[in-house]
Amino acid sequence: MISLTLHDPITTFQNLLLEGVSDPSALPVAMEFLTKFCGAQTAQIIFVGGGKSILQSTIVGTVDAELFRLENHYWPINPRARLLNDLDVGVIAREQDFITPEEIARDATYQELLIPARVGHFAGVILEKDRRSLAALALAQPYDDGAISDAQTERLSRAVDAARPVLDLASRILRSRNEAIVSSFGASARVAILQKDGTVLDRSAAFESLLSAGIIRVDRFGHLDLMSDDANRRLAMAVRSPDGVIGGRFAFSRLRPDDGYMCVVTPLMKTNDIANRSGEAIVILEPIFQKRELDPGLLMDAFGLTDAECSIAERLFIGDTLKEIAAFRNVAPSTVKTMLKSIMLKTESRRQAEVVTKLSRLAFPARP
């Protein structure tokens, strides 16, 4: 961890944010440093997707952390959220700039969340913004302490000048990572990376061809549209299910059954960088009637299966029964059952069908 020094506070703050590119534990330290530098009770850095949902938030200070967990719940009606959506990059706004004490007294978000959570007064600024997301920095303090002062605002402005180049670097890292992930699936893969709100972050050339053909589309908000209400509901459930676990698999057809696709959704593993917007998913679209096969090497890497277990997993995937697998391998059915139990244990599955579902996530189009 970079040591804190008061000799050059702006450089120290910038270094802490830079460290956050590779170590997210540096972000709370950076926010703590910001509270001291600006003389504020609380500081927060927040990432928002499409202006509608919080993707990532780091807040430190005198805030009531338990109560502030409701921040995402109140976000759609939070006057500060509406302000951030309309605010220009680099422009600092304070409470008195956009809401009156009378309006605060009538506002549910202030009365039920912001004031009780001890972040009743704030000054916020957009660090970066595009059509898909925004990043913001804010100071806050208890309502009884009064508004953020001019002196605090001036110091926040200096911190913003240091933070914006770091966020630009982080965004470039994110774009490079997404491009590398998409290309790793191969030129023929119809693959895209989505935020949990359905916004398409990156896509392969083959995925782009489906868009050009009108099989699927991206709407004016940048969200993936599978051209089917039922398929879109399934996609939404796979990307942002109630339990927060990303993943799923379902079939959908645009025009006729033989023109259908299988949509496979799997989480994009988090990386330790400030550019990682949590809740991203990899979406793969495959023709339903395209033959697919498992890669034994992937099975070994993902689940630690032995050669024999990989062979059985491949037969399970193509639909063979345990009796058929035993005959194919010229072993007793009891032997296959024992090995199936080992496969279920390694894949953390409770049923044979669950094993097949997990195996299908590692299946790729068969080689011609």
Side-chain angles (χ1 to χ4, degrees):
M1 179 70 67
I2 297 172
S3 61
L4 301 186
T5 173
L6 295 179
H7 297 304
D8 189 356
I10 287 299
T11 300
T12 299
F13 177 62
Q14 189 173 55
N15 285 342
L16 286 169
L17 286 179
L18 278 169
E19 189 172 341
V21 171
S22 59
D23 181 5
S25 67
L27 289 180
V29 179
M31 293 302 100
E32 288 174 10
F33 189 85
L34 188 62
T35 63
K36 294 180 175 66
F37 177 69
C38 295
Q41 297 289 338
T42 299
Q44 179 185 25
I45 187 168
I46 184 171
F47 302 95
V48 180
K52 298 183 298 184
S53 61
I54 297 172
L55 302 175
Q56 187 173 312
S57 174
T58 299
I59 186 167
V60 303
T62 59
V63 60
D64 183 333
E66 278 297 316
L67 181 57
F68 205 66
R69 288 180 181 176
L70 296 174
E71 179 188 27
N72 205 28
H73 173 77
Y74 280 91
W75 191 256
I77 61 170
N78 189 336
R80 295 175 183 175
R82 293 195 296 272
L83 169 73
L84 291 179
N85 290 335
D86 299 330
L87 201 62
D88 291 331
V89 173
V91 176
I92 297 175
R94 295 181 291 181
E95 228 80 27
Q96 57 266 40
D97 298 327
F98 68 94
I99 192 168
T100 66
E102 292 75 20
E103 290 171 326
I104 288 174
R106 297 193 300 268
D107 187 87
T109 303
Y110 274 88
Q111 297 304 315
E112 298 171 13
L113 175 68
L114 300 176
I115 292 176
R118 299 196 292 275
V119 289
H121 279 293
F122 112 126
V125 58
I126 301 295
L127 298 175
E128 63 167 18
K129 178 166 61 174
D130 58 30
R131 64 183 180 83
R132 298 181 301 201
S133 64
L134 65 82
L137 195 65
L139 301 178
Q141 56 195 31
Y143 194 71
D144 292 341
D145 286 7
I148 301 293
S149 69
D150 291 343
Q152 290 172 309
T153 304
E154 191 277 331
R155 290 210 156 203
L156 176 61
S157 179
R158 291 173 61 192
V160 169
D161 289 340
R164 288 184 62 187
V166 177
L167 267 292
D168 179 64
L169 171 64
S171 293
R172 281 185 277 134
I173 290 174
L174 175 65
R175 287 193 295 271
S176 297
R177 181 205 62 173
N178 287 349
E179 290 170 2
I181 291 171
V182 168
S183 63
S184 71
F185 283 85
S188 63
R190 302 166 183 86
V191 59
I193 297 178
L194 266 60
Q195 287 180 340
K196 64 181 179 182
D197 66 355
T199 302
V200 179
L201 297 178
D202 211 330
R203 58 204 185 214
S204 67
F207 195 95
E208 185 69 43
S209 68
L210 294 182
L211 294 169
S212 301
I215 304 297
I216 56 177
R217 73 183 183 104
V218 173
D219 66 22
R220 62 190 180 93
F221 301 107
H223 300 158
L224 178 62
D225 182 356
L226 299 178
M227 311 287 278
S228 159
D229 290 342
D230 179 64
N232 286 336
R233 280 192 295 270
R234 290 170 177 262
L235 177 64
M237 285 296 295
V239 176
R240 54 178 190 274
S241 61
D243 60 7
V245 178
I246 292 175
R249 176 182 173 84
F250 60 90
F252 71 97
S253 177
R254 173 76 210 290
L255 300 173
R256 55 188 186 275
D258 61 353
D259 191 32
Y261 284 83
M262 187 67 66
C263 180
V264 181
V265 181
T266 189
L268 178 58
M269 300 306 295
K270 294 181 179 180
T271 57
N272 290 334
D273 64 61
I274 196 174
N276 177 52
R277 312 299 199 249
S278 57
E280 294 172 7
I282 298 173
V283 174
I284 305 171
L285 300 180
E286 302 170 346
I288 289 176
F289 294 103
Q290 182 178 24
K291 184 180 179 182
R292 297 180 308 127
E293 61 185 20
L294 296 172
D295 183 330
L298 282 178
L299 297 182
M300 291 179 182
D301 291 341
F303 303 118
L305 301 187
T306 64
D307 286 335
E309 289 168 347
C310 284
S311 176
I312 288 178
E314 289 178 287
R315 305 305 298 187
L316 285 173
F317 179 72
I318 66 175
D320 282 1
T321 64
L322 297 186
K323 185 176 180 180
E324 289 170 335
I325 295 173
F328 175 80
R329 293 184 58 81
N330 195 28
V331 297
S334 59
T335 301
V336 176
K337 289 181 180 179
T338 299
M339 298 184 74
L340 174 60
K341 289 180 181 178
S342 176
I343 293 172
M344 292 173 67
L345 181 64
K346 291 180 178 180
T347 59
E348 298 181 356
S349 304
R350 290 173 293 181
R351 296 178 298 276
Q352 184 174 325
E354 188 176 353
V355 172
V356 174
T357 298
K358 291 186 176 181
L359 293 176
S360 68
R361 295 174 183 173
L362 298 177
F364 293 90
R367 299 176 182 84

